[in-house]
Structures are given as C-alpha cells and as structure tokens.
Amino acid sequence: MTANSRCSAAEPPGLETQRREIESLLRECELRAGDSWYVVEHRWFEQWKEFVESGDQNSSSFPGQIDNTELFEDLDSYHLKERLVENEDFVLVPAEAWHKLLAWYGMVESQPPLERKVVDLPSTLKVEVYPVEVFLCLHSNMENVINTQFSRADSIQAIQRAVCQSFSVPPGSECRLWMKSSDSNCERLRNIHMSVLDACLSSGMTVIMETRNADGTWPSSRPQIMRNSVEEQDSYRGQPGVCGLTNLGNTCFMNSALQCLSNTPPLTEYFLQSSYLEELNFTNPLGMKGEIAEAYADVIKQMWSGRHYSVVPRVFKTKVGHFASQFLGYQQHDSQELLSFLLDGLHEDLNRVKNKEYIELRDADGRPDQEVAEEAWRNHRRRNDSVIVDTFHGLFKSTLVCPECHKVSVTFDPFCYLSVPLPVSKERVMEVFFVSLDPYAKPVQHRVVVPKAGKVSDLCSALSEMTSVPPSQMVVADVFNHRFYKIYSADEALSCILDRDDIFVYELSVLEEQQEEQVLLALYLRERSHYRDYGSGSSSYGTSLFGHPLLLNVPRSSCSQEALYTLFLQRLARYVRPPDPSEELEEEEEDDDEEELYKTQTNGISDDEQPDTAEKAQPSQTEPSCSNASANSQSDDAATAEPLPELNHKQPSLDHGDTETNNGSQNQTEPLCGVDATATNSTTNVSPCGDSSRTADADTSSEPPAEQTPEPSETTEEEKEEDKQEEACSPSPPANEQPAKRRACCKRRKSLFTIQAVNSNGTTERGMGEGGSAVSFSSQPYVAIDWDPEMKKRFYNENEAEKYVKHASMEVPQQQTTVQLQECIELFTTVETLEEENPWYCPVCKKHQLATKKLDLWSLPEVLIIHLKRFSYTKFTREKLDSIVDFPLRDLDFSGCLLRKSLSSGEPPSRYDLIAVSNHYGGLRDGHYTSYAKNKDNGQWYYFDDSKVTYAREDQIVTNAAYVLFYHRQDKIRKPTLPSPSTSPASSAQPANDITSCKDDDAELGAASYVTMETD
C-alpha cells in the first residue's frame, strides 16, 4: 500500500527495524510507578506483528491505522468495555513504543489514545487499565455534572484543578472537596496531596467542590436558619473581628479564649491569608489530622468577614470535644486549659516537620549559658516548626540543685505561656454576726481579720477584742435555711468556713455554781400549716422552719417543759410579746367555738410514745417540711442565716407528754407543771368529761430513724453545697399522727407555742429516747418551738426578729489588695523546693531528691501570654484569689527580668503592649468568662461577652477578674490601618454602645428548634 493510505503517518523504517525496536522496548521496559503505558487492541497488534515478520512492505497483512474500536462500548463516550482481558483483548505497550507506532501508522480519526498509568498498589506495580471514573460538580449547582477519569496515582489536587478548569472557578478562590458515594454519605477530601488510591476514591463516586462564602462560612456547613432573612444577612457590614460568639451552653470559657486568639494579629493574619493550607500536617501522630486547624480557621474567617453579628462555633466545639474528651459535653471549664490545648493542637496540625527525629538532650555540664540555650532552641526547632512556635514560644532556664550532693543541673526549656503565681495573703477577712446574751440586743454584724490557716478559736479571740466577751463563752455556727448546718468546735480549721457562709457567733451564759451540768441546746422555730398534708397519706400537720435559730446553755435541771417554756420566752423577748391574762381568757373562750370543727382531727403536737402503751394519749408528730431556700431564707442584708454548732454536750431530756387535748390549729397548750424532765415518756393524762376515745395508733415504725447530723468538716465545699441543697429541697418523711383526745374538762391557760424534740434538720423524730425519756442525751440536742399561724401572727414580730445592727468595723471600707504584675513575675523566678509528689532524680546520688528549683527567662516570643494563677489548690484548701493585678497596657518592660542583660544588636527589644485579656468572674465552682481585646485594624478596645460586643475604655480593662493576659512585642506591632470608630467609646454598660445587642445569630436561631442561653 502507499504511504497515503496511512494518513499522514511518518515514513516508517524497514520492517525488520520496526520489529527489532518494538520488541526490544517491550522486553526491556520495566513498570515504574507513575509511568505511562498505552492500550492497543490485540487484533491490530497481532496483525502488525504478522506484517513486520513477513518482511514484505506490500503484504496483505498491512495493519493500517491503529484502531481500538473493538475495545469501546460506543464511539460517543469511548468508554472501555467491561472485563477486557490482557493479551486476549488488548496489549500494553510502553510510552516510547506507542509513540513510534503512532508515528509510523497513525491513528483512526477522533479516537483518543488509551494512555494508562502504572500505579503502586500494595505489594505490586500494575498498569491501570481501568482508571477511576468520577463525576465532578459544584456545590452551588449539583445538577451540572461532568464525567472524568483519573488515575489512582493522581493527587486530589489534580482533581481540584480539573474541577476549577471545567467550571471556570475564579483563581484564588478557597475551595474544599467532598466525595459522595452512592449511599449519599459525604466525606471531606482534606489532604489534597494524597493520591486517589489513598483517598479511597472509586469509580461511580461524585466529587463535589464548594468555595468559601464571602462571610467566611462554607455552603455545606451553614445552618439553614441563620437570620430572619437572606437580605438582612447579606446587608450587614461590620468591622471585621468585632463579632460575638454564641454561647452553646457553658461555653463562655471557649468564647473568651477564642476572642483573645482572634485578636492576636500574627496568628489571625496567617489564617486569613490561608497560609495554613500549605502547612496542614495530616500525618503527625501527635496532631489531629488538620481538623482542629481547619475548624479554627473557619471560625476566624467568619469572625473577620465583617458579615456577622455573632458566629455559632458549634463545629469547632465538636472538634475540640472529639480530640480532647475533657471538653466533651457542656460543663464549665477553664479558659486557660482550653487555650493550652488549642495552641498545642494548632502547633501539631501545622507542624512543618513531617518526620520528627530523635534528639538526645544534653545537660549543660558547665558549658556557657549562651551555647546551651542556642543548642536547646535548635533542637526544639528541629522537631517543632510552626506558626505557633514562631509566634508564642520562648525559652527559660531551669536550674535544679541537689540538697545532698549539690549537683547543679541546668536545662533550657521552651514555653508557650507563663503561669505566674499571685502573692497570697496569710490573713483573711470574715464577716460574722454576734448574738449577745442580752435578749433585747439585736445581732451585731462584725468584720474581723483572722489567720487564713487559723482555727475557730482564733475567730472567737478576734471577736472577743471587739465585744469584750471571753472566747470561752462563744460558740460558732453556720446557719443555712433557718437551721444549723454545722456547729463548730474551737479547734476546727477556719478553712472549712467559706466566705459565702452565714456565720453566727452566740454568747453563752455561765453559771456561778459550776456543780450542775449545762447542756448546749439548739433551738429552731417552726410554723404549723393550717391544714393537714392529706396528700402524703399521713394525718400529721406540716411544719416549716422560719426565723433565726438560737444556741443557749441550759442547766440540766431546767430542761422540763415548763422551765424551757419560760426560758424561751425570756430569750425571745425582743420579738415575742407575752400575752396578758385577758388575752389568754379570750383565747380560751374562742376555743369553744372551734371545738366542733376540730373534734375529729388530730392535734399537731408530737410525742414519742411507746407503741404498746395503748392507754396513753399520743399527740401527733408534725410533718416537717424543709423550707425552700429561696422562699424562706432571709434577705442578705438582714443576714438571716445562722450556723449550728456540733458540740457533744449531753442533751436534756425534754418531756413532750403534753396531756392536754388541743384544738386543730389552735392546739398549743402549756405543758403540765411538775412533769420531770427525766421522767419516762408515759403521759400524764387529764381525765376528760366525756368519752375519752383514746385510740393508741402506735404506728411508729413508718417513720425512718433519726437523721444523723452531717459532718461538714469531712466534706468538700461542693459536697457541702449539695448537702445544703438537698436539705433545703427534699421533703421530710411524713410522720404518723394519733387521733386527738376530746377536750379536757379542766380549764387550762393557753401557751404560745409547744416544744418538740427534733433532729438537726428540724424534723420531728421518733425513737430518740434513752431510758424511756423523750430526748436523747447522747448527741447534740435540738428542739423546736412550734407556732400556730394565728398565734405567730399575733405574738411574733417578724420585722423585729429580722433586724440587726452593723458594728463600726463594717463601715471601714475593705481594702482591695493590689499587686503589681512585676511582683508576680518576680515570684515566678523565685527559688522554690520541689514538692514530695514531684521529686527530681539526681544522677550523682542515684535517687530522687527534693531539689531546689529556679526558673529564669532567657528569650521571649513575639506574643507573650501570661496566665495569672488565681485558682489556688493545696492539700487542705482551695480558693480563688480576687486580688487586683495591676498590669500595664503599654510598655511592659522585661529587660530587668531577662537573664541576658546585654542584648546584641540583632536581638529584639523586650517591651510589650497589651492586646487582649481573658476575664473570669465568680468563684471556684461557677463563674463566667468574658474578654477585652484590641482590634488590630482600628486600634479600638472591645468587650466581648459571648454574643454581645460593646466598646470598652482603657480604664475599664484592669480588674480583679483578669485571668489571662496577651502582650504583643512593640517591634512587631503594626499601626492600625483604619481610623478609630467615630462613636465615642463609653461605658460598656450603656446599651447605646451594644454593637451586637439584638442582632446576634443566637437570637435568630430560635426558629431552628433550640435556644442558646447563658447557663454559667
């Protein structure tokens, strides 16, 4: 055939030469990953072989143009047929052989060459005849899909370039890819440098590309309901960076830390310029596969888009919880702990060192500090090289000295932040109420200074100087909810008394004749309800505690009902008016009218009676109901809560055998005279005129045993608070009640209240008796006086009972302790002895030693984070230090703190300006985090309180809530590019300056079926 029939193919060499060259290439070419091979139809190749072997240029076996028609399913898509077999349906030729054949014979018009890559499959190299066929589309238009083939050796970046080219995506757009399988599951293709094979991308899958919105969000992760309307969302334009963060439930600690980092210029610019994309480390076993860095970048880009009032950091919160289980859920945490985790996580996710080499650390061994420091920093950078190291890492010198052999060990260690201690005062100020023996004297509120590590006796001694009452005549108690939570003994530590506890100190009487034993009696006041508590299945009357409990010394001989009644009346004389005789007579007459109403009801006075004494009347036990803390606790300024001492005096035996029949709600009767306190609890009965109808309903077993007085000295503060809440809220068990006796014939004077033995909670109990007496002497005795509502209304002056006076010590303004930041830094560099839990192994002594340790600052980073250690934890105490730390907003000079006094010309200066503060308000267990930060673009200070952002003045920033400080080195500070806002900065409390007050995202998210609330 002529050359013309071969379609512009080049003039081939001789047939023998062709055969020799192609066979040589087929024989010698080895498979190498990434090389190209070509698919040629088997029939055509065999015909070519026959042709060249014939040696005749005009042979009828001339193959013609390379024709792969038989390999295609159709000639429109040029898809290969399924299940083609090598050497039966096709042959594979190396690229060089293919190009020779193509040059000699040409190819059928419009047929694509079937180029295939060699892929490195596990344990084998193979030509990939069937590449991965995927569908490509954009997230914004998922109907427009194109079909493309990629080799398993191709990188994901090649797919990204193909999508950008196919759909004309503007260059510079920030994109991310998702792969979607047939079951509609989508998975991020995070590492664009990964191969298609490693990404597990297979034929039939769809690759979706999305580009970041102008507001920093991604279309796929954006909540469906962000604001009321798209127009409102698109129309908002604010200052970039001035953006709130929605509280997802106790996440203010996270929001505070994020706002501080967001306003750290070098880190934020690094993320806004997308520099992180080239440095994501997906293989670091210490990292989070780039997920923390990406989630943080998303938050920053949204906050700095200038298109949000507030951002919802839900995805970021989820990622943090996933990689750090301590942050799972919605408990309150420490902003500094989150900051520490986040900086470490970002560093590992962005570490430029992909394979960390092992480096053996050497001791100084007398070498110069400069040499050892440079070696330490070099070694650190060999394993750790990221934007976090560039921005936040400094170096300090650690010197350990063995106390035995005096071996000195010097190391230089990197740091990411400085945790500096606060000077701790050895004294504390306590506010207590002093209750005098004088019944007409109001309680006096005192402010006393006591040793922080002192005992209760120290408190009594300090108070004694103000009151002239001997400490031996004082007892200290903690009152909660009208009852004694704890009565303290003199040798108990003051550390178990919290600042928020209501502490009362009672003056006790001392008898001239000490022969007779005295009993410390705790007195509660209770009010009966008008009606029985039928719902509880019991026939008892409910009671609730009210007013101030009292502590008083009572001679044991004066523990009869009558003596106690008289004593209590005297002790309560300031606010309990004794009735005159005419009132008592009237009361007796009125009782006749009400007799019929209550004839079938039981009375409300309880008596501990033996179950088998059926002939003895047993007045009902009242059902105690712990008063609600919010409803019944007295107001703070009246200091109504009083504490209860736990002194193991012997208890007086209170005889509750009130033998008088009582009428319903007016059923207080004066106890019979002459009933001995030590008598058995059998009741002296007055014979009634009519039918006595005394049924001895001896169902005493239904009431649980007496509750034990809690031992708060062994409980933590959290347990104490929980105990208090339980005591305040949980209902007491119902008490069984005896049917009332009919009215006694004999006239009897009406008493104002009845006396009842109770436990420490103010709950009436059975089974407390000892030797047949009504009250146990084995532990602290508690009694309650039960008031009928009508009697209380007439004779108890509630306003007078609540009154108290302030001692002159309360008028002296409390000096808020202020310390300079420089003092804290000096404390950080002070020599200290290691604790027993953390000894140092001395290489000379060959054992662990409690060495002395000293830290010195060697070099400082561009951004210095200073953590003020406000939370103080020891073996015995935990407290939050509320001292004001006076830190400078400008020109914080570290030149005096650095170990290197003389800086070379190339060294950066050591002056810093403040750029952000994380604040913590509240105590150890609860609180709220906010932050102050300076916007890098306009230089204006803002106050960030979750989703709310307000202007701030510089004079507002230094407070006793400051917790974490961010300082930027002056030589790196860039001048603001924008003018300061025209709105004159005013107090952040003014709503007019609320930048994001009512337009934050969480306010709009109500329609999305959840409500964001501040629950800290």
Side-chain angles (χ1 to χ4, degrees):
M1 284 204 176
T2 63
N4 292 338
S5 65
R6 288 179 233 153
C7 265
S8 74
E11 187 67 30
L15 298 184
E16 181 59 27
T17 307
Q18 290 182 37
R19 184 183 66 79
R20 197 168 55 247
E21 287 183 10
I22 298 300
E23 284 182 358
S24 171
L25 288 171
L26 287 173
R27 189 169 56 249
E28 294 172 4
C29 262
E30 294 180 356
L31 296 179
R32 285 194 303 268
D35 282 358
S36 292
W37 286 58
Y38 286 80
V39 178
V40 178
E41 189 196 15
H42 184 262
R43 184 191 55 78
W44 185 92
F45 190 74
E46 287 299 316
Q47 192 164 347
W48 169 81
K49 281 168 66 177
E50 185 182 331
F51 175 60
V52 294
E53 284 170 2
S54 71
D56 181 3
Q57 288 278 6
N58 297 314
S59 167
S60 60
S61 59
F62 176 72
Q65 293 174 313
I66 300 173
D67 186 1
N68 289 330
T69 304
E70 293 298 317
L71 300 180
F72 298 121
E73 276 187 350
D74 59 73
L75 297 179
D76 295 326
S77 64
Y78 291 110
H79 277 168
L80 281 186
K81 291 178 180 176
E82 297 287 335
R83 292 183 288 279
L84 295 175
V85 179
E86 187 177 1
N87 295 328
E88 285 187 15
D89 299 307
F90 65 88
V91 292
L92 292 167
V93 295
E96 191 178 348
W98 165 260
H99 289 307
K100 287 181 182 292
L101 289 172
L102 184 63
W104 299 334
Y105 295 97
M107 193 170 185
V108 173
E109 193 176 349
S110 76
Q111 269 194 21
L114 297 177
E115 182 184 10
R116 294 297 184 257
K117 297 280 187 184
V118 178
V119 292
D120 188 1
L121 297 174
S123 75
T124 182
L125 286 169
K126 188 176 180 181
V127 176
E128 182 185 43
V129 176
Y130 289 98
V132 177
E133 291 191 23
V134 294
F135 300 98
L136 306 179
C137 67
L138 293 179
H139 183 274
S140 55
N141 183 9
M142 294 176 69
E143 302 299 319
N144 184 15
V145 179
I146 61 170
N147 188 345
T148 320
Q149 291 183 343
F150 294 97
S151 165
R152 288 171 179 80
D154 286 338
S155 69
I156 300 298
Q157 194 168 27
I159 300 180
Q160 184 169 306
R161 281 197 294 264
V163 181
C164 291
Q165 187 176 350
S166 301
F167 294 102
S168 305
V169 176
S173 299
E174 190 178 343
C175 318
R176 65 181 187 182
L177 300 179
W178 298 80
M179 64 177 184
K180 177 174 176 289
S181 57
S182 55
D183 59 358
S184 301
N185 287 334
C186 282
E187 185 180 338
R188 271 285 308 282
L189 293 168
R190 296 181 182 281
N191 188 354
I192 60 172
H193 304 293
M194 185 182 282
S195 69
V196 169
L197 177 67
D198 291 337
C200 300
L201 195 61
S202 56
S203 294
M205 288 187 173
T206 303
V207 174
I208 305 166
M209 189 170 86
E210 59 175 341
T211 54
R212 194 187 287 276
N213 296 320
D215 65 356
T217 59
W218 292 103
S220 61
S221 60
R222 187 171 192 156
Q224 295 301 308
I225 304 171
M226 291 289 282
R227 295 193 181 87
N228 288 337
S229 64
V230 177
E231 292 75 20
E232 180 187 336
Q233 160 216 321
D234 290 338
S235 64
Y236 176 72
R237 295 292 183 274
Q239 170 64 40
V242 182
C243 174
L245 288 168
T246 299
N247 191 312
L248 305 172
N250 281 332
T251 58
C252 58
F253 73 95
M254 180 182 81
N255 295 347
S256 174
L258 283 175
Q259 292 289 7
C260 292
L261 280 181
S262 166
N263 287 281
T264 302
L267 186 64
T268 295
E269 285 166 7
Y270 170 85
F271 278 97
L272 292 180
Q273 293 162 7
S274 299
S275 306
Y276 72 99
L277 291 174
E278 292 303 314
E279 297 185 348
L280 286 171
N281 190 332
F282 298 99
T283 58
N284 186 353
L286 299 177
M288 289 84 175
K289 307 290 182 283
E291 291 187 39
I292 285 290
E294 285 189 335
Y296 177 76
D298 286 349
V299 172
I300 293 299
K301 292 199 174 196
Q302 291 173 46
M303 291 172 69
W304 286 84
S305 68
R307 298 179 182 232
H308 296 284
Y309 304 105
S310 176
V311 167
V312 185
R314 191 176 300 280
V315 175
F316 178 80
K317 167 75 174 65
T318 305
K319 294 291 183 192
V320 168
H322 176 70
F323 290 108
S325 57
Q326 68 266 34
F327 297 115
L328 273 174
Y330 295 93
Q331 301 300 311
Q332 182 64 282
H333 293 282
D334 189 308
S335 67
Q336 187 270 332
E337 288 178 9
L338 176 89
L339 195 63
S340 174
F341 160 77
L342 184 54
L343 289 174
D344 188 54
L346 289 174
H347 160 64
E348 296 295 357
D349 269 2
L350 299 168
N351 199 344
R352 302 172 188 120
V353 179
K354 304 302 186 216
N355 297 305
K356 296 189 179 186
E357 56 183 309
Y358 173 74
I359 298 171
E360 190 166 348
L361 299 177
R362 294 169 56 201
D363 201 74
D365 287 332
R367 291 181 294 159
D369 281 353
Q370 184 73 30
E371 180 187 334
V372 180
E374 287 175 359
E375 178 187 83
W377 186 248
R378 259 195 325 270
N379 289 341
H380 180 58
R381 293 301 296 249
R382 280 163 67 185
R383 290 174 56 85
N384 303 280
D385 183 16
S386 70
V387 66
I388 302 299
V389 176
D390 300 341
T391 309
F392 297 102
H393 282 208
L395 202 65
F396 60 65
K397 175 186 176 183
S398 172
T399 308
L400 289 161
V401 181
C402 177
E404 202 168 295
C405 69
H406 303 291
K407 154 77 177 170
V408 178
S409 170
V410 175
T411 56
F412 285 82
D413 302 304
F415 66 86
C416 191
Y417 50 84
L418 295 181
S419 286
V420 299
L422 272 62
V424 179
S425 168
K426 290 184 166 40
E427 294 182 330
R428 68 183 281 197
V429 175
M430 294 183 69
E431 293 182 3
V432 299
F433 291 87
F434 178 71
V435 181
S436 167
L437 260 181
D438 179 6
Y440 292 96
K442 298 183 181 73
V444 183
Q445 188 180 21
H446 292 263
R447 186 176 284 156
V448 292
V449 179
V450 293
K452 199 170 267 187
K455 299 183 180 300
V456 171
S457 55
D458 296 315
L459 170 62
C460 295
S461 300
L463 195 58
S464 175
E465 293 178 12
M466 295 184 178
T467 60
S468 302
V469 174
S472 59
Q473 285 179 238
M474 293 181 184
V475 64
V476 179
D478 174 1
V479 174
F480 178 75
N481 238 20
H482 316 289
R483 63 171 70 84
F484 291 116
Y485 180 75
K486 173 161 177 137
I487 301 174
Y488 294 98
S489 57
D491 59 350
E492 285 192 72
L494 287 174
S495 57
C496 59
I497 299 178
L498 305 182
D499 288 338
R500 64 170 176 258
D501 292 342
D502 289 313
I503 300 300
F504 282 69
V505 182
Y506 297 87
E507 181 185 358
L508 300 177
S509 59
V510 177
L511 295 178
E512 288 82 2
E513 302 171 4
Q514 289 294 341
Q515 296 87 1
E516 187 176 2
E517 183 186 355
Q518 285 199 312
V519 175
L520 182 69
L521 199 59
L523 174 65
Y524 292 160
L525 283 73
R526 302 195 302 184
E527 179 179 1
R528 287 195 196 88
S529 61
H530 277 288
Y531 307 103
R532 290 193 190 88
D533 187 2
Y534 289 107
S536 68
S538 148
S539 56
S540 63
Y541 285 89
T543 59
S544 57
L545 291 166
F546 70 93
H548 295 276
L550 288 172
L551 282 170
L552 53 164
N553 260 349
V554 180
R556 186 154 186 161
S557 61
S558 301
C559 288
S560 66
Q561 292 269 350
E562 186 176 62
L564 286 179
Y565 182 82
T566 308
L567 179 65
F568 293 164
L569 266 185
Q570 291 171 354
R571 196 73 181 81
L572 305 173
R574 183 167 62 86
Y575 44 90
V576 173
R577 177 175 66 85
D580 55 52
S582 62
E583 282 183 300
E584 289 178 337
L585 288 174
E586 288 172 12
E587 190 69 24
E588 183 66 30
E589 293 302 319
E590 287 172 11
D591 281 355
D592 294 335
D593 301 329
E594 296 185 356
E595 171 60 23
E596 293 304 316
L597 176 61
Y598 291 103
K599 190 172 286 185
T600 60
Q601 297 185 11
T602 59
N603 69 24
I605 301 172
S606 168
D607 182 30
D608 296 321
E609 185 169 353
Q610 302 299 330
D612 53 357
T613 52
E615 289 303 311
K616 294 173 182 155
Q618 182 176 355
S620 71
Q621 277 202 326
T622 56
E623 177 182 348
S625 64
C626 300
S627 55
N628 180 283
S630 60
N632 291 311
S633 58
Q634 299 89 343
S635 61
D636 291 338
D637 58 350
T640 53
E642 304 176 3
L644 170 82
E646 282 184 357
L647 306 178
N648 286 329
H649 295 285
K650 289 198 173 181
Q651 274 181 299
S653 173
L654 296 185
D655 188 334
H656 298 294
D658 182 357
T659 60
E660 181 91 21
T661 305
N662 299 285
N663 289 341
S665 63
Q666 301 283 353
N667 60 2
Q668 297 91 350
T669 62
E670 184 175 324
L672 290 176
C673 305
V675 177
D676 188 2
T678 58
T680 64
N681 66 349
S682 56
T683 325
T684 309
N685 296 316
V686 177
S687 299
C689 300
D691 178 18
S692 61
S693 66
R694 285 164 287 178
T695 55
D697 182 7
D699 185 11
T700 59
S701 61
S702 65
E703 179 150 346
E707 293 182 29
Q708 298 301 313
T709 305
E711 297 287 342
S713 58
E714 297 178 6
T715 62
T716 63
E717 295 153 17
E718 290 89 342
E719 289 166 342
K720 173 175 175 181
E721 186 63 28
E722 288 164 8
D723 292 345
K724 287 187 177 184
Q725 294 302 327
E726 287 173 15
E727 290 174 337
C729 304
S730 57
S732 304
N736 285 8
E737 197 172 302
Q738 283 286 58
K741 294 174 292 178
R742 300 234 175 159
R743 184 176 187 77
C745 297
C746 49
K747 286 261 183 181
R748 187 165 299 282
R749 278 187 308 137
K750 188 78 174 167
S751 57
L752 295 182
F753 48 76
T754 56
I755 300 170
Q756 171 70 57
V758 293
N759 63 10
S760 61
N761 287 333
T763 305
T764 304
E765 292 204 343
R766 297 178 183 274
M768 295 177 68
E770 240 174 45
S773 65
V775 178
S776 168
F777 280 90
S778 60
S779 60
Q780 171 66 51
Y782 295 83
V783 295
I785 56 176
D786 289 350
W787 290 78
D788 176 83
E790 291 300 321
M791 298 295 269
K792 178 184 171 223
K793 188 175 178 182
R794 291 175 59 184
F795 296 103
Y796 181 86
N797 186 338
E798 202 154 351
N799 288 336
E800 183 64 31
E802 298 298 319
K803 288 180 181 175
Y804 71 102
V805 294
K806 290 192 175 184
H807 185 261
S809 60
M810 294 296 296
E811 305 305 322
V812 180
Q814 258 188 294
Q815 290 296 320
Q816 175 76 53
T817 50
T818 302
V819 297
Q820 299 298 318
L821 180 60
Q822 213 68 27
E823 292 177 55
C824 302
I825 295 167
E826 285 168 12
L827 266 180
F828 174 77
T829 57
T830 303
V831 177
E832 62 176 358
T833 304
L834 296 178
E835 296 177 346
E836 290 182 11
E837 295 83 11
N838 187 28
W840 169 67
Y841 183 79
C842 176
V844 177
C845 301
K846 303 295 183 188
K847 62 178 180 180
H848 288 91
Q849 298 280 17
L850 298 181
T852 58
K853 180 178 181 180
K854 186 177 191 307
L855 296 176
D856 293 290
L857 298 174
W858 182 263
S859 64
L860 298 175
E862 177 183 343
V863 175
L864 178 62
I865 302 175
I866 300 177
H867 164 225
L868 304 176
K869 294 168 76 172
R870 289 198 178 276
F871 298 102
S872 167
Y873 300 98
T874 68
K875 285 182 183 176
F876 312 105
T877 62
R878 302 191 306 161
E879 62 177 333
K880 184 193 173 190
L881 306 173
D882 281 324
S883 314
I884 291 180
V885 177
D886 190 5
F887 50 89
L889 272 62
R890 293 180 186 82
D891 296 320
L892 173 61
D893 190 358
F894 275 94
S895 55
C897 305
L898 282 173
L899 206 56
R900 290 185 295 174
K901 300 298 181 191
S902 57
L903 295 175
S904 63
S905 57
E907 295 292 333
S910 52
R911 285 181 179 272
Y912 287 80
D913 287 354
L914 188 74
I915 54 172
V917 182
S918 174
N919 302 308
H920 177 265
Y921 300 91
L924 280 168
R925 293 189 59 216
D926 48 18
H928 182 56
Y929 288 91
T930 65
S931 51
Y932 288 106
K934 186 178 183 179
N935 187 277
K936 69 182 179 66
D937 292 338
N938 64 13
Q940 170 66 43
W941 280 93
Y942 294 93
Y943 180 63
F944 298 91
D945 184 355
D946 288 334
S947 53
K948 184 177 180 181
V949 185
T950 49
Y951 291 112
R953 296 193 312 268
E954 289 190 355
D955 60 3
Q956 296 173 309
I957 294 168
V958 178
T959 68
N960 65 347
Y963 184 44
V964 184
L965 313 176
F966 285 68
Y967 279 96
H968 198 179
R969 205 170 60 216
Q970 287 182 347
D971 66 310
K972 293 288 188 179
I973 294 177
R974 185 168 52 83
K975 289 186 177 178
T977 54
L978 299 173
S980 191
S982 56
T983 308
S984 61
S987 167
S988 61
Q990 294 181 10
N993 293 314
D994 187 353
I995 301 163
T996 64
S997 59
C998 57
K999 295 257 183 180
D1000 49 358
D1001 288 352
D1002 56 328
E1004 308 294 339
L1005 282 164
S1009 81
Y1010 70 89
V1011 180
T1012 302
M1013 296 178 65
E1014 175 61 83
T1015 58
D1016 304 351

